[in-house]
Amino acid sequence: MSPEPPDASTVSGHLQGLARRIRNLRERRGLTQEDFAARCGISVSFASLLERGERSPSYETLLQVAAALQLPLWELLRLEDTQDAGVHRLEAFVRGRGLARVDVDRLLSVAEVMFNAPTRATEDIQAVRPEPARCGEPGCEKPLLARGLCAAHYHRERRRKAASPGTGGT
């Protein structure tokens, strides 16, 4: 069984989405319609028709539009909204540096920490990090200094031993 062809309303909806996307991307790059049209090698009136969704671009025109907007063609044709403005910049960063999957995971962990969103990576780190040892004196929760005691109790114990007869002052 072959898939059913999309109906006219679906095609029109995709064309309108592409038109909005082209316009938003052009505006985000600070290009006038005239500059954009010149970069694409099309007329200003055709650029306007594309941005209004009144003309369906050819494959060649899509390639020219993508090049003018400095995007890969697939990025131009994505169905998602254009509000994810920086996604292509992040992808270009990752691809430009040839980052491996482990590097991308590290980058995402840093970003998630920066933006305060807990991740599995940060949860794993927190799970591995041991709880700091606490003072052995009853009721004292201060961190250890030495010999199972916090700084205050350790020095108090040393002074007590130094003052006791027969300990030799040590």
Side-chain angles (χ1 to χ4, degrees):
M1 283 186 161
S2 62
E4 290 184 33
D7 63 11
S9 65
T10 301
V11 171
S12 176
H14 287 310
L15 186 57
Q16 289 300 314
L18 176 63
R20 280 190 307 274
R21 187 165 183 75
I22 290 171
R23 181 176 181 170
N24 288 338
L25 290 166
R26 175 187 60 79
E27 289 174 346
R28 266 206 306 268
R29 283 162 176 71
L31 296 172
T32 64
Q33 270 191 346
E34 291 79 13
D35 294 336
F36 174 69
R39 286 184 180 197
C40 292
I42 60 176
S43 70
V44 176
S45 61
F46 188 66
S48 176
L49 291 169
L50 282 178
E51 288 187 359
R52 292 194 315 260
E54 294 178 13
R55 289 292 182 270
S56 182
S58 68
Y59 180 72
E60 182 180 329
T61 301
L62 286 173
L63 291 174
Q64 292 167 317
V65 167
L69 296 172
Q70 300 174 321
L71 293 172
L73 181 58
W74 66 265
E75 180 73 22
L76 181 65
L77 297 175
R78 284 185 325 125
L79 297 178
E80 291 92 33
D81 198 343
T82 59
Q83 296 308 102
D84 56 349
V87 171
H88 72 278
R89 290 179 55 215
L90 288 171
E91 182 196 358
F93 177 86
V94 168
R95 288 183 190 274
R97 285 163 180 77
L99 298 182
R101 173 66 184 241
V102 67
D103 297 324
V104 172
D105 291 341
R106 286 178 35 215
L107 183 62
L108 289 173
S109 292
V110 168
E112 287 169 341
V113 169
M114 282 178 60
F115 297 103
N116 217 12
T119 67
R120 180 179 168 168
T122 55
E123 289 167 0
D124 290 347
I125 290 169
Q126 291 168 348
V128 172
R129 185 181 303 147
E131 189 65 32
R134 302 293 177 189
C135 182
E137 286 292 316
C140 184
E141 291 294 314
K142 294 179 184 171
L144 288 184
L145 173 66
R147 296 194 176 130
L149 300 172
C150 67
H153 288 113
Y154 173 78
H155 291 295
R156 186 177 303 147
E157 184 66 20
R158 280 191 61 212
R159 285 191 299 273
R160 186 185 61 76
K161 284 184 178 180
S164 299
T167 61
T170 56

